[in-house]
Structures are given as structure tokens and as C-alpha cells.
Short mmCIF file of all heavy atoms in Angstrom, two decimals:
data_model
loop_
_atom_site.label_atom_id
_atom_site.label_comp_id
_atom_site.label_asym_id
_atom_site.label_seq_id
_atom_site.Cartn_x
_atom_site.Cartn_y
_atom_site.Cartn_z
N ASP A 116 0.86 -1.15 0.00
CA ASP A 116 0.00 0.00 0.00
C ASP A 116 0.92 1.22 0.00
O ASP A 116 2.13 1.11 -0.09
CB ASP A 116 -0.96 -0.02 1.20
CG ASP A 116 -0.29 -0.16 2.53
OD1 ASP A 116 0.80 0.44 2.72
OD2 ASP A 116 -0.81 -0.90 3.39
N VAL A 117 0.33 2.37 0.11
CA VAL A 117 1.10 3.61 0.04
C VAL A 117 2.12 3.76 1.15
O VAL A 117 3.08 4.55 1.03
CB VAL A 117 0.23 4.86 -0.02
CG1 VAL A 117 -0.64 4.84 -1.29
CG2 VAL A 117 -0.67 4.92 1.22
N GLY A 118 1.95 2.98 2.21
CA GLY A 118 2.86 3.07 3.32
C GLY A 118 3.87 1.94 3.42
O GLY A 118 4.69 1.92 4.35
N SER A 119 3.85 1.02 2.49
CA SER A 119 4.74 -0.15 2.52
C SER A 119 5.41 -0.32 1.18
O SER A 119 4.80 -0.77 0.21
CB SER A 119 3.94 -1.40 2.86
OG SER A 119 3.27 -1.29 4.09
N THR A 120 6.68 0.07 1.11
CA THR A 120 7.42 -0.01 -0.13
C THR A 120 8.75 -0.71 0.10
O THR A 120 9.29 -0.69 1.21
CB THR A 120 7.68 1.36 -0.76
OG1 THR A 120 8.42 2.15 0.16
CG2 THR A 120 6.35 2.04 -1.06
N ALA A 121 9.31 -1.24 -0.96
CA ALA A 121 10.63 -1.86 -0.92
C ALA A 121 11.32 -1.55 -2.25
O ALA A 121 10.67 -1.55 -3.28
CB ALA A 121 10.56 -3.35 -0.69
N TYR A 122 12.63 -1.30 -2.20
CA TYR A 122 13.39 -0.98 -3.37
C TYR A 122 14.69 -1.75 -3.41
O TYR A 122 15.27 -2.06 -2.39
CB TYR A 122 13.77 0.51 -3.42
CG TYR A 122 12.58 1.43 -3.57
CD1 TYR A 122 11.94 1.99 -2.44
CD2 TYR A 122 12.11 1.77 -4.83
CE1 TYR A 122 10.87 2.84 -2.58
CE2 TYR A 122 11.00 2.62 -4.96
CZ TYR A 122 10.40 3.14 -3.85
OH TYR A 122 9.33 4.00 -3.98
N SER A 123 15.10 -2.06 -4.64
CA SER A 123 16.44 -2.59 -4.86
C SER A 123 17.44 -1.50 -4.46
O SER A 123 17.21 -0.31 -4.71
CB SER A 123 16.64 -2.97 -6.29
OG SER A 123 17.96 -3.17 -6.63
N ASP A 124 18.56 -1.92 -3.88
CA ASP A 124 19.57 -0.94 -3.48
C ASP A 124 20.06 -0.11 -4.66
O ASP A 124 20.41 1.07 -4.51
CB ASP A 124 20.80 -1.63 -2.86
CG ASP A 124 20.50 -2.17 -1.48
OD1 ASP A 124 19.50 -1.72 -0.85
OD2 ASP A 124 21.27 -3.04 -1.02
N SER A 125 20.04 -0.66 -5.85
CA SER A 125 20.56 0.02 -7.02
C SER A 125 19.70 1.17 -7.49
O SER A 125 20.13 2.01 -8.24
CB SER A 125 20.78 -0.95 -8.17
OG SER A 125 19.56 -1.52 -8.58
N VAL A 126 18.46 1.22 -7.02
CA VAL A 126 17.54 2.27 -7.48
C VAL A 126 17.05 3.18 -6.37
O VAL A 126 16.36 4.16 -6.63
CB VAL A 126 16.33 1.67 -8.22
CG1 VAL A 126 16.78 0.76 -9.34
CG2 VAL A 126 15.39 0.96 -7.28
N LYS A 127 17.42 2.89 -5.13
CA LYS A 127 16.98 3.72 -4.02
C LYS A 127 17.43 5.17 -4.22
O LYS A 127 18.57 5.44 -4.56
CB LYS A 127 17.53 3.17 -2.70
CG LYS A 127 16.87 1.89 -2.23
CD LYS A 127 17.47 1.44 -0.90
CE LYS A 127 16.80 0.16 -0.41
NZ LYS A 127 17.40 -0.31 0.85
N GLY A 128 16.48 6.05 -3.97
CA GLY A 128 16.78 7.45 -4.13
C GLY A 128 16.56 7.97 -5.54
O GLY A 128 16.56 9.19 -5.76
N ARG A 129 16.43 7.07 -6.50
CA ARG A 129 16.23 7.46 -7.90
C ARG A 129 14.85 7.08 -8.43
O ARG A 129 14.29 7.79 -9.24
CB ARG A 129 17.30 6.84 -8.79
CG ARG A 129 18.72 7.28 -8.45
CD ARG A 129 19.72 6.83 -9.51
NE ARG A 129 19.75 5.33 -9.61
CZ ARG A 129 19.46 4.66 -10.70
NH1 ARG A 129 19.07 5.29 -11.80
NH2 ARG A 129 19.55 3.34 -10.71
N PHE A 130 14.37 5.92 -8.02
CA PHE A 130 13.08 5.42 -8.46
C PHE A 130 12.05 5.57 -7.35
O PHE A 130 12.37 5.50 -6.17
CB PHE A 130 13.16 3.96 -8.88
CG PHE A 130 13.96 3.68 -10.11
CD1 PHE A 130 14.75 4.64 -10.70
CD2 PHE A 130 13.89 2.43 -10.71
CE1 PHE A 130 15.48 4.37 -11.84
CE2 PHE A 130 14.61 2.14 -11.85
CZ PHE A 130 15.40 3.11 -12.42
N SER A 131 10.79 5.70 -7.76
CA SER A 131 9.71 5.77 -6.82
C SER A 131 8.51 5.00 -7.34
O SER A 131 8.05 5.27 -8.46
CB SER A 131 9.34 7.21 -6.54
OG SER A 131 8.26 7.32 -5.65
N ILE A 132 8.01 4.04 -6.56
CA ILE A 132 6.82 3.29 -6.94
C ILE A 132 5.63 3.94 -6.30
O ILE A 132 5.65 4.38 -5.15
CB ILE A 132 7.00 1.81 -6.52
CG1 ILE A 132 5.81 0.97 -7.07
CG2 ILE A 132 7.10 1.70 -5.01
CD1 ILE A 132 6.00 -0.52 -6.87
N SER A 133 4.55 3.98 -7.03
CA SER A 133 3.31 4.55 -6.53
C SER A 133 2.14 3.89 -7.22
O SER A 133 2.30 3.18 -8.22
CB SER A 133 3.27 6.06 -6.71
OG SER A 133 3.32 6.41 -8.08
N ARG A 134 0.98 4.16 -6.71
CA ARG A 134 -0.24 3.59 -7.34
C ARG A 134 -1.41 4.52 -7.20
O ARG A 134 -1.53 5.29 -6.22
CB ARG A 134 -0.54 2.23 -6.67
CG ARG A 134 -0.90 2.33 -5.20
CD ARG A 134 -0.81 0.96 -4.52
NE ARG A 134 -1.74 -0.03 -5.05
CZ ARG A 134 -1.74 -1.31 -4.78
NH1 ARG A 134 -0.81 -1.78 -3.91
NH2 ARG A 134 -2.62 -2.12 -5.30
N ASP A 135 -2.32 4.46 -8.14
CA ASP A 135 -3.56 5.17 -8.13
C ASP A 135 -4.64 4.13 -8.25
O ASP A 135 -4.98 3.67 -9.34
CB ASP A 135 -3.66 6.17 -9.28
CG ASP A 135 -4.88 7.05 -9.19
OD1 ASP A 135 -5.87 6.67 -8.52
OD2 ASP A 135 -4.86 8.13 -9.81
N ASN A 136 -5.17 3.70 -7.11
CA ASN A 136 -6.10 2.58 -7.10
C ASN A 136 -7.40 2.94 -7.84
O ASN A 136 -8.03 2.06 -8.46
CB ASN A 136 -6.44 2.20 -5.67
CG ASN A 136 -5.26 1.56 -4.97
OD1 ASN A 136 -4.43 0.87 -5.61
ND2 ASN A 136 -5.14 1.78 -3.67
N ALA A 137 -7.81 4.19 -7.83
CA ALA A 137 -9.00 4.57 -8.55
C ALA A 137 -8.88 4.38 -10.02
O ALA A 137 -9.87 4.20 -10.75
CB ALA A 137 -9.37 6.04 -8.23
N LYS A 138 -7.64 4.41 -10.53
CA LYS A 138 -7.37 4.22 -11.95
C LYS A 138 -6.85 2.82 -12.24
O LYS A 138 -6.45 2.54 -13.38
CB LYS A 138 -6.38 5.26 -12.43
CG LYS A 138 -6.89 6.68 -12.37
CD LYS A 138 -5.85 7.66 -12.91
CE LYS A 138 -6.34 9.07 -12.90
NZ LYS A 138 -5.32 10.03 -13.39
N ASN A 139 -6.76 1.98 -11.23
CA ASN A 139 -6.25 0.62 -11.38
C ASN A 139 -4.86 0.63 -11.97
O ASN A 139 -4.50 -0.22 -12.79
CB ASN A 139 -7.16 -0.26 -12.25
CG ASN A 139 -8.62 -0.05 -12.00
OD1 ASN A 139 -9.04 0.10 -10.84
ND2 ASN A 139 -9.43 -0.04 -13.05
N THR A 140 -4.06 1.59 -11.54
CA THR A 140 -2.79 1.82 -12.20
C THR A 140 -1.59 1.85 -11.23
O THR A 140 -1.71 2.46 -10.14
CB THR A 140 -2.80 3.12 -13.00
OG1 THR A 140 -3.88 3.06 -13.96
CG2 THR A 140 -1.51 3.36 -13.74
N LEU A 141 -0.54 1.22 -11.63
CA LEU A 141 0.71 1.24 -10.91
C LEU A 141 1.73 2.05 -11.68
O LEU A 141 1.73 2.00 -12.92
CB LEU A 141 1.21 -0.22 -10.76
CG LEU A 141 2.61 -0.41 -10.17
CD1 LEU A 141 2.62 -0.03 -8.71
CD2 LEU A 141 3.05 -1.87 -10.36
N TYR A 142 2.56 2.79 -10.98
CA TYR A 142 3.55 3.64 -11.64
C TYR A 142 4.95 3.35 -11.13
O TYR A 142 5.12 2.86 -10.01
CB TYR A 142 3.27 5.13 -11.35
CG TYR A 142 1.91 5.60 -11.83
CD1 TYR A 142 0.86 5.74 -10.93
CD2 TYR A 142 1.69 5.92 -13.14
CE1 TYR A 142 -0.38 6.18 -11.36
CE2 TYR A 142 0.47 6.37 -13.59
CZ TYR A 142 -0.57 6.51 -12.68
OH TYR A 142 -1.80 6.96 -13.10
N LEU A 143 5.92 3.68 -11.96
CA LEU A 143 7.30 3.68 -11.56
C LEU A 143 7.93 4.94 -12.12
O LEU A 143 8.11 5.04 -13.33
CB LEU A 143 8.04 2.44 -12.04
CG LEU A 143 9.49 2.33 -11.59
CD1 LEU A 143 9.55 2.11 -10.05
CD2 LEU A 143 10.23 1.18 -12.30
N GLU A 144 8.23 5.86 -11.25
CA GLU A 144 8.93 7.09 -11.65
C GLU A 144 10.43 6.81 -11.56
O GLU A 144 10.94 6.46 -10.48
CB GLU A 144 8.53 8.25 -10.73
CG GLU A 144 9.16 9.56 -11.11
CD GLU A 144 8.58 10.17 -12.38
OE1 GLU A 144 7.37 9.95 -12.62
OE2 GLU A 144 9.32 10.83 -13.12
N MET A 145 11.10 6.99 -12.66
CA MET A 145 12.55 6.72 -12.72
C MET A 145 13.29 8.00 -13.08
O MET A 145 13.03 8.62 -14.11
CB MET A 145 12.82 5.63 -13.82
CG MET A 145 12.05 4.37 -13.61
SD MET A 145 12.52 3.07 -14.79
CE MET A 145 11.92 3.83 -16.31
N ASN A 146 14.20 8.36 -12.18
CA ASN A 146 14.97 9.58 -12.35
C ASN A 146 16.46 9.25 -12.39
O ASN A 146 16.87 8.21 -11.89
CB ASN A 146 14.68 10.54 -11.23
CG ASN A 146 13.23 10.97 -11.16
OD1 ASN A 146 12.69 11.48 -12.14
ND2 ASN A 146 12.61 10.80 -10.00
N ASP A 147 17.23 10.17 -12.94
CA ASP A 147 18.68 9.99 -13.04
C ASP A 147 19.01 8.61 -13.60
O ASP A 147 19.81 7.85 -13.03
CB ASP A 147 19.32 10.20 -11.67
CG ASP A 147 20.83 10.27 -11.73
OD1 ASP A 147 21.37 10.66 -12.81
OD2 ASP A 147 21.48 9.98 -10.71
N LEU A 148 18.43 8.31 -14.73
CA LEU A 148 18.61 7.00 -15.30
C LEU A 148 20.03 6.75 -15.75
O LEU A 148 20.73 7.64 -16.18
CB LEU A 148 17.69 6.82 -16.50
CG LEU A 148 16.23 6.57 -16.15
CD1 LEU A 148 15.31 6.86 -17.33
CD2 LEU A 148 16.05 5.12 -15.68
N LYS A 149 20.47 5.51 -15.56
CA LYS A 149 21.82 5.10 -15.87
C LYS A 149 21.78 3.97 -16.91
O LYS A 149 20.78 3.27 -17.01
CB LYS A 149 22.55 4.64 -14.62
CG LYS A 149 22.60 5.67 -13.52
CD LYS A 149 23.25 5.09 -12.26
CE LYS A 149 23.33 6.13 -11.16
NZ LYS A 149 23.95 5.55 -9.94
N PRO A 150 22.86 3.79 -17.68
CA PRO A 150 22.87 2.71 -18.66
C PRO A 150 22.53 1.35 -18.06
O PRO A 150 21.89 0.54 -18.74
CB PRO A 150 24.29 2.73 -19.21
CG PRO A 150 24.67 4.18 -19.10
CD PRO A 150 24.06 4.65 -17.80
N GLU A 151 22.94 1.10 -16.83
CA GLU A 151 22.65 -0.17 -16.19
C GLU A 151 21.17 -0.34 -15.84
O GLU A 151 20.77 -1.44 -15.44
CB GLU A 151 23.52 -0.37 -14.92
CG GLU A 151 23.48 0.78 -13.98
CD GLU A 151 24.62 1.75 -14.15
OE1 GLU A 151 24.98 2.07 -15.29
OE2 GLU A 151 25.19 2.19 -13.12
#
């Protein structure tokens, strides 16, 4: 839920997972993208 998240160490601080349940939609915001 909005209060329970987990991230891979490689993306912490750069990626953010979120959801809009009213839209049945999951999101992944990715910032400072790297080739890896």
C-alpha cells in the first residue's frame, strides 16, 4: 500500500513506486537513469 514499499539498493533514491487505485494503475517514476 502507500505506506509499505521496498526498493532494490541500485535504485533507491532514484526510483519511486506509486499507485492510483481509482485508476487501477501502478507507476514507476525513474529519475537519473543510468545505462545499467
Side-chain angles (χ1 to χ4, degrees):
D116 54 40
V117 296
S119 302
T120 61
Y122 294 93
S123 166
D124 287 342
S125 64
V126 307
K127 286 181 180 178
R129 299 189 298 118
F130 290 12
S131 179
I132 186 171
S133 62
R134 63 197 299 171
D135 186 339
N136 292 327
K138 296 181 179 179
N139 319 321
T140 302
L141 173 69
Y142 301 101
L143 183 67
E144 183 72 33
M145 305 185 294
N146 300 304
D147 191 24
L148 283 162
K149 302 176 180 180
E151 52 263 42

